[in-house]
């Protein structure tokens, strides 16, 4: 059965690593739904968050292939209920079709905010799950969305064992 | 006086050298004595630096970069060193690709050094610029582009450490021309650790205990020994473990020579063209003990019908191999040598005489149905098996046998009696035709004291025959046996069995191989008659220098047993 999984990869921040990781996914015909790269709480360690739809068996195997890369410290696999995650979406609306009042209403109802207001356009920002940002998109669509963009997933995990502890267990020295 | 000495010392250490020279010095630090390579524009500074170190590094000039990389593989497989090759940018680098992929799938440590256009030209489609880092990413254990001279020593140190440690593999360093030209203060430090890289998993004693329990309980246990046994140098540990427990041992294609073929517990070679018993018994045993092998599909056949009745212990250094194909009941994630030693110390002494007898019965059946006809054919035509067996009988125990890909490879694997570890060099995972001739050169350089005999098909020989030029120039005495059936035999066999004998582009109109060898100054002979073969092999082996022996064999011989693609190992066909 396929499900949504978040693969959190902790890596040395090296050129080309994204490419290396992407190759592991594409070679196994696994589609990367969303991907985010950021720093982690450990200095010099980057965190790559990848969302995939697949089976548990496939994602576990894949995580081990990713971990095999020389520069990868650790790859964790989590199901959605094991993580806290958010995505950020920006909606650029024409000021002609969406009045300030209407914008304010959507913002309030959706727990979003108005990021920029210009004579010609309004940019709304919404942070939430994909479903939530999707919902707002559908509502705004009637007014004509000039531009829409959604970020990858930003994730922290529920289990209390933090990365540093894992790394210690693996006897990885932290700088 | 002292002051003067000190300042002299200081001047020396602050003396700058070029990146190219630093590369050569770094290679020397890593104990490199041989490089296989081919020069070109983007690697000229390195070749220039090499000029001053000809007494320390033997550069073998190949005739094609594919030859360099296969030779480096042959060298690595017989020595405990990484093979090193040089190539220029663009076509030089892309010519390495086949060998790098081969080394990756067969876990062979290589350090490939490619020249690259100057860093300011990167990404501009400059002359002979190819993204070799991008190309080699999925087929290397690690790769790195170096654009600054001062990064060269550390990059080389890392490269050797990664290539050799844990599950070995090929690495590639792509060095831009300006990094080769540029200057640096040279200082070398060996790499012994990379924080994100854990090549040697710690043996978990809990897993060992669980494995011991399964082994002690098993009535029909069966060991499958793979390349990992040889890579970790665990031949003695394997033997001790098998002898103490009385468990029969079969080997994979790359596991051949991990245990002597005349050992009483050796039951044969696994897989598609392996022996009958090991395949049949895989689906009858109650415990599979897989050591340093990865359940390749050529070994397992239809995975849904593979050893379903058995418990599985998988001893494997690479965690990504565990549960990849076959679910392990007990996984021992460790180096084979360490694991086998720990197991041997803990298992009970046992013997499985009745079970062993079942293998001997299979062997008897296989002998009657297949082997006696292969070894003592009634017909006029020579068969590959009788030639291989004669070579086996005449060659010394430590002779290294290098095979190419095809029928002759399978026949050699079945009929050659491997007596010493690492005497079988072949392209297993990738099945690269053209591998054997250059790999044989590398093997000879890596182990000059052993005879090296390459057994090659007429097809595969023509894929890299230009390396006869390398043999001629380097004076590496390699024995070459071409088993000439005037066909791409293995493909022809498949067309006969599975494509209604529609022979599509498998017949070879061949050149005069003896003349070709002569052209390269290599002694040669051709044999067509059974009565001449023994003397011809003797002559070849006694000959001091290189020798090419063409043996004309039966045109349409088939290799059996055979597990057809998609069939279960239990459905192995004897005819
Ligand atoms: C580079 C490459 N191309 C194609 C193949 C497919 N292939 C496998 S075996 C074989 C035939 C080999 O013929 P030959 O070298 O004459 O050996 P024989 O089987 O006759 O012993 C071919 C074409 C391959 N393994 N490698």
């Amino acid at each position: 059965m396929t499900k949504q999984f978040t693969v959190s990869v902790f890596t040395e921040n090296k050129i080309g690593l994204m490419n290396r990781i992407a190759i592991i996914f594409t070679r196994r015909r696994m589609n990367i739904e969303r991907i985010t790269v950021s720093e982690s709480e450990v200095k010099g360690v980057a965190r790559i968050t990848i969302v995939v739809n697949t089976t548990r068996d496939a994602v576990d195997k894949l995580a081990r292939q990713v971990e095999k890369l020389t520069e990868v410290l650790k790859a964790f696999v989590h199901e959605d209920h094991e993580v806290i995650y958010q995505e950020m979406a920006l909606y650029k609306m024409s000021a002609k079709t969406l009045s300030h009042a209407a914008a304010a209403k959507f913002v309030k109802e959706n727990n979003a905010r108005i990021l920029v207001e210009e004579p010609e356009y309004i940019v709304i920002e919404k942070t939430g799950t994909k479903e939530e940002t999707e919902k707002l998109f559908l509502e705004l669509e009637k007014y004509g969305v000039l531009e829409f963009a959604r970020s990858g997933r930003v994730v922290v995990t529920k289990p209390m064992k933090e990365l540093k502890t894992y790394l210690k267990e693996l006897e990885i020295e932290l700088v | 006086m002292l002051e003067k000495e000190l300042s002299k010392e200081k001047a020396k250490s602050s003396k700058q050298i070029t990146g190219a020279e630093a590369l050569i010095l770094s290679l020397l630090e890593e104990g490199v004595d041989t490089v296989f390579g081919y020069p070109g524009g983007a690697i000229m500074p390195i070749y220039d630096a090499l000029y001053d170190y000809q007494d320390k590094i033997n550069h073998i000039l190949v005739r094609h970069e594919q030859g360099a990389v296969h030779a480096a593989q042959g060298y690595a497989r017989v020595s405990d060193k990484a093979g090193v090759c040089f190539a220029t940018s663009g076509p030089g680098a892309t010519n390495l690709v086949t060998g790098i992929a081969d080394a990756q799938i067969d876990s062979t440590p290589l350090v490939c050094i490619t020249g690259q256009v100057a860093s300011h030209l990167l990404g501009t489609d400059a002359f002979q610029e190819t993204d070799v880092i991008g190309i080699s990413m999925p087929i290397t254990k690690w790769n790195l582009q170096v654009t600054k001279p001062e990064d060269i020593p550390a990059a080389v140190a890392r490269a050797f450490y990664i290539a050799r440690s844990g599950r070995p593999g090929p690495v590639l360093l792509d060095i831009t021309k300006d990094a080769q030209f540029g200057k640096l203060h040279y200082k070398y430090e060996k790499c012994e650790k990379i924080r994100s890289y854990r090549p040697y998993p710690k043996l978990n004693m809990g897993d060992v205990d669980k494995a011991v329990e399964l082994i002690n309980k098993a009535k029909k246990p069966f060991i499958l020994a793979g390349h990992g046994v040889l890579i970790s140098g665990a031949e003695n540990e394997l033997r001790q473990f098998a002898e103490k427990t009385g468990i029969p041992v079969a080997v994979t294609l790359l596991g051949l020579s991990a245990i002597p073929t005349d050992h009483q517990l050796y039951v044969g070679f696994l897989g598609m063209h392996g022996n009958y018993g090991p395949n049949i018994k895989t689906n009858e045993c109650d415990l599979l003990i897989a050591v340093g092998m990865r359940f390749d599909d050529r070994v397992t056949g239809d995975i849904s019908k593979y050893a379903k009745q058995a418990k599985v212990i998988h001893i494997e250094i690479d965690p990504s191999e565990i549960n990849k194909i076959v679910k392990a009941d007990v996984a021992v994630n460790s180096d084979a040598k360490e694991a086998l030693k720990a197991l041997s110390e803990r298992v009970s002494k046992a013997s499985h005489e009745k079970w062993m007898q079942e293998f001997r019965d299979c062997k008897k059946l296989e002998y009657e149905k297949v082997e006696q006809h292969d070894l003592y054919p009634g017909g006029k035509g020579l068969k590959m098996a009788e030639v291989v067996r004669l070579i086996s009988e005449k060659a010394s125990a430590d002779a290294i046998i290098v095979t190419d890909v095809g029928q002759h490879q399978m026949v050699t694997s079945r009929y050659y009696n491997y007596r010493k570890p690492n005497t079988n060099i072949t392209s297993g995972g990738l099945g690269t035709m053209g591998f054997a001739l250059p790999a044989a050169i590398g093997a000879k350089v890596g182990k000059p004291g052993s005879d090296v005999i390459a057994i090659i098909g007429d097809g595969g020989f023509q894929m890299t025959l230009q390396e006869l030029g390398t043999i001629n120039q380097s004076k590496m005495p390699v024995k070459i046996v071409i088993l000439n059936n005037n066909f791409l035999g293995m493909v022809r066999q498949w067309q006969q069995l599975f494509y209604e004998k529609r022979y599509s582009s498998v017949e070879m109109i061949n050149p005069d191989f003896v003349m070709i060898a002569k052209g390269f100054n290599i002694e040669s002979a051709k044999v067509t008659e059974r009565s001449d073969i023994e003397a011809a092999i003797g002559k070849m082996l006694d000959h001091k220098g290189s020798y090419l022996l063409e043996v004309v064999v039966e045109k349409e011989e088939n290799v059996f047993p055979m597990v057809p693609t998609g069939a279960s190992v239990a459905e192995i066909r004897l005819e």
Side-chain angles (χ1 to χ4, degrees):
Chain A
M1 196 190 56
T2 69
K3 255 192 201 166
Q4 188 154 284
F5 293 94
T6 303
V7 185
S8 304
V9 185
F10 293 89
T11 73
E12 303 284 358
N13 212 344
K14 290 271 158 64
I15 305 181
L17 204 57
M18 281 281 283
N19 199 356
R20 243 173 257 273
I21 292 172
I23 286 169
I24 292 176
F25 282 75
T26 50
R27 184 174 159 205
R28 291 167 182 80
R29 303 189 57 80
M30 204 181 283
N31 194 25
I32 294 177
E33 306 275 331
R34 297 193 286 294
I35 185 161
T36 315
V37 187
S38 71
E39 284 148 18
S40 74
E41 69 278 18
V42 180
K43 197 167 171 241
V45 174
R47 175 176 193 147
I48 304 177
T49 306
I50 301 163
V51 179
V52 285
N53 262 312
T54 183
T55 63
R56 183 84 220 185
D57 183 52
V59 75
D60 283 343
K61 280 180 187 166
L62 183 123
R64 282 195 293 274
Q65 294 292 341
V66 171
E67 262 180 6
K68 195 163 144 179
L69 296 175
T70 311
E71 283 94 355
V72 170
L73 294 146
K74 185 83 192 147
F76 297 100
V77 175
H78 291 293
E79 291 185 22
D80 280 359
H81 66 86
E82 295 168 305
V83 293
I84 294 157
Y85 61 93
Q86 293 282 280
E87 289 161 8
M88 202 250 283
L90 297 178
Y91 314 74
K92 181 174 164 186
M93 309 297 298
S94 163
K96 281 202 200 89
T97 53
L98 188 73
S99 68
H100 177 84
K105 175 176 155 275
F106 283 120
V107 160
K108 189 149 183 279
E109 283 171 7
N110 286 280
N111 203 11
R113 68 175 178 133
I114 292 174
L115 195 63
V116 172
E117 228 179 330
E118 293 284 339
E120 278 178 278
Y121 61 87
I122 302 169
V123 177
I124 297 172
E125 177 208 308
K126 159 82 191 148
T127 300
T129 62
K130 188 181 172 192
E131 292 69 36
E132 289 166 341
T133 53
E134 187 85 14
K135 174 176 164 279
L136 179 57
F137 178 82
L138 293 173
E139 288 173 16
L140 292 173
E141 213 181 6
K142 296 161 206 150
Y143 300 87
V145 178
L146 295 176
E147 259 186 67
F148 171 69
R150 178 164 47 215
S151 75
R153 210 175 241 209
V154 181
V155 172
V156 291
T157 58
K158 288 183 187 168
M160 280 306 288
K161 208 167 175 180
E162 51 171 359
L163 174 66
K164 283 180 191 164
T165 336
Y166 278 112
L167 298 187
K168 280 228 182 73
E169 278 170 18
L170 295 168
E171 294 173 355
I172 291 171
E173 272 167 43
L174 300 170
V175 282
Chain B
M1 174 66 190
L2 186 68
E3 207 136 287
K4 210 172 150 197
E5 281 291 301
L6 272 176
S7 68
K8 226 167 97 188
E9 197 53 38
K10 204 171 153 207
K12 215 167 91 193
S13 71
S14 68
K15 196 180 143 239
Q16 293 197 326
I17 61 170
T18 64
E21 189 174 3
L23 174 82
I24 304 292
L25 292 176
S26 303
L27 294 179
L28 288 171
E29 289 278 355
E30 293 294 338
V32 173
D33 52 21
T34 306
V35 171
F36 304 90
Y38 207 90
I43 197 166
M44 283 186 67
I46 290 175
Y47 272 87
D48 186 58
L50 185 64
Y51 189 81
D52 292 328
Y53 292 89
Q54 293 174 66
D55 54 331
K56 296 202 172 68
I57 292 183
N58 176 21
H59 181 272
I60 302 221
L61 177 64
V62 294
R63 294 299 182 267
H64 182 290
E65 290 84 354
Q66 184 184 356
V69 65
H70 290 328
Q73 288 179 276
Y75 175 92
R77 293 264 284 268
V78 298
S79 63
D80 48 11
K81 294 173 162 184
V84 181
C85 52
F86 284 176
T88 192
S89 67
T94 54
N95 277 348
L96 295 178
V97 166
T98 302
I100 297 175
D102 193 289
Q104 170 83 342
I105 200 162
D106 282 352
S107 311
T108 308
L110 294 186
V111 175
C112 304
I113 312 250
T114 51
Q116 181 54 282
V117 301
S119 53
H120 72 275
L121 293 172
L122 287 170
T124 65
D125 304 319
F127 178 64
Q128 295 191 329
E129 187 211 355
T130 302
D131 177 12
V132 64
I133 291 295
I135 288 174
S136 65
M137 216 169 249
I139 52 166
T140 48
K141 187 171 172 188
W142 179 76
N143 66 13
L144 183 71
Q145 186 168 66
V146 183
T147 56
K148 294 195 198 93
E150 60 271 26
D151 293 344
I152 288 175
V156 172
R158 224 164 226 249
F160 277 88
Y161 172 60
I162 293 171
R164 282 195 292 226
S165 54
R167 180 177 180 178
V171 305
L172 182 141
L173 289 180
D174 191 37
I175 308 180
T176 58
K177 206 167 175 181
D178 49 330
Q180 300 172 38
F181 269 134
K183 299 256 175 147
L184 72 153
H185 293 285
Y186 175 75
K187 187 166 167 280
Y188 199 78
E189 257 177 87
K190 277 214 166 191
C191 178
E192 272 149 11
K193 200 168 176 187
I194 297 171
R195 73 169 182 176
S196 55
Y197 172 60
R198 295 170 301 280
Y200 299 104
K202 227 200 245 140
L203 181 62
N204 178 328
M205 281 305 162
D207 296 335
V208 171
D209 291 340
K210 280 187 230 153
V212 168
E213 208 184 307
L214 288 183
I215 293 164
N216 286 346
K217 260 199 338 226
K219 295 276 174 289
K220 294 179 166 191
F222 186 21
I223 298 171
L224 313 183
H227 194 194
V229 173
L230 289 161
I231 293 172
S232 86
E235 307 86 42
N236 287 334
E237 286 74 11
L238 172 70
R239 203 149 75 183
Q240 280 153 12
F241 172 66
E243 284 169 3
K244 185 167 179 194
T245 52
I247 303 179
V249 183
V251 298
T252 65
L253 176 59
L254 291 188
L256 277 164
S257 84
I259 182 165
T261 43
D262 56 8
H263 193 280
Q264 81 263 11
L265 290 168
Y266 178 73
V267 294
F269 151 60
L270 289 160
M272 183 174 269
H273 289 289
N275 293 107
Y276 183 67
N279 279 303
I280 287 282
K281 296 294 162 191
T282 295
N283 275 10
E284 293 174 19
C285 67
D286 61 359
L287 177 65
L288 268 190
I289 308 164
V291 192
M293 57 85 78
R294 58 185 176 82
F295 295 104
D296 182 84
D297 55 284
R298 281 293 193 269
V299 163
T300 64
D302 181 356
I303 196 69
S304 68
K305 294 184 197 135
Y306 181 78
K308 289 295 168 203
Q309 79 296 341
K311 292 251 188 262
V312 175
I313 298 173
H314 195 178
I315 301 169
E316 170 59 50
I317 195 166
D318 177 356
S320 73
E321 291 296 348
I322 293 171
N323 296 330
K324 187 182 85 173
I325 307 288
V326 170
K327 181 108 189 57
D329 294 281
V330 176
V332 182
N333 180 207
S334 128
D335 180 63
K337 188 171 183 142
E338 208 187 331
L340 287 171
K341 203 156 161 259
L343 285 175
S344 288
E345 284 162 8
R346 288 165 180 77
V347 286
S348 324
K349 215 174 149 30
S351 95
H352 299 279
E353 202 24 58
K354 237 182 90 205
W355 173 230
M356 270 307 295
Q357 188 55 44
E358 293 184 33
F359 280 94
R360 285 193 286 266
D361 293 344
C362 285
K363 182 79 188 167
K364 191 158 165 276
L365 182 66
E366 183 175 346
Y367 183 81
E368 282 161 10
K369 291 261 189 198
V370 183
E371 294 186 352
Q372 67 173 355
H373 307 295
D374 281 354
L375 291 168
Y376 312 104
K380 191 174 171 316
L382 275 164
K383 284 205 155 201
M384 290 184 180
E386 54 182 323
V387 181
V388 167
R389 189 48 70 80
L390 272 173
I391 296 172
S392 181
E393 282 164 7
K394 293 196 163 292
S396 63
D398 62 358
I400 295 161
I401 302 304
V402 187
T403 51
D404 210 71
V405 175
Q407 292 184 312
H408 65 280
Q409 177 191 33
M410 293 299 122
V411 171
T412 306
S413 304
R414 292 170 45 74
Y415 292 103
Y416 191 86
N417 289 321
Y418 297 91
R419 287 149 282 180
K420 294 272 176 69
N422 290 316
T423 51
N424 163 53
I425 311 293
T426 197
S427 165
L430 208 65
T432 305
M433 284 173 73
F435 171 85
L437 184 63
I441 299 171
K444 185 68 193 175
V445 181
K447 222 166 180 190
S450 295
D451 285 338
V452 174
I453 306 166
I455 301 177
I456 316 181
D458 48 310
F461 179 72
Q462 292 178 73
M463 280 210 174
T464 48
L465 75 77
Q466 75 281 352
E467 300 309 332
L468 292 177
T470 308
I471 293 174
N472 182 30
Q473 184 163 351
S474 67
K475 300 276 174 284
M476 278 298 146
V478 174
K479 315 293 178 195
I480 305 152
V481 179
I482 300 177
L483 296 181
N484 183 5
N485 53 13
N486 282 95
F487 266 117
L488 297 173
M490 187 56 93
V491 180
R492 185 209 53 75
Q493 173 170 350
W494 282 51
Q495 289 179 350
Q496 179 186 341
L497 299 177
F498 309 116
Y499 294 87
E500 293 141 11
K501 217 170 172 180
R502 287 153 56 90
Y503 286 170
S504 179
S505 293
V506 286
E507 185 153 22
M508 297 291 255
I509 308 284
N510 283 327
D512 182 335
F513 292 118
V514 170
M515 269 224 317
I516 285 183
K518 289 226 160 78
F520 284 98
N521 270 323
I522 294 170
E523 279 288 318
S524 56
K526 176 175 179 171
V527 175
T528 53
E529 303 302 319
R530 183 165 291 122
S531 52
D532 298 336
I533 182 73
E534 194 168 343
I537 291 171
K539 189 168 172 210
M540 170 185 79
L541 293 174
D542 289 342
H543 183 76
K544 283 276 164 291
S546 293
Y547 199 96
L548 184 145
L549 179 64
E550 177 193 352
V551 183
V552 178
V553 293
E554 228 173 59
K555 287 189 74 161
E556 298 188 41
E557 177 186 346
N558 286 336
V559 188
F560 281 107
M562 176 175 196
V563 182
T565 337
S568 143
V569 284
E571 295 166 292
I572 183 166
R573 287 168 55 174
L574 281 166
E575 53 207 340

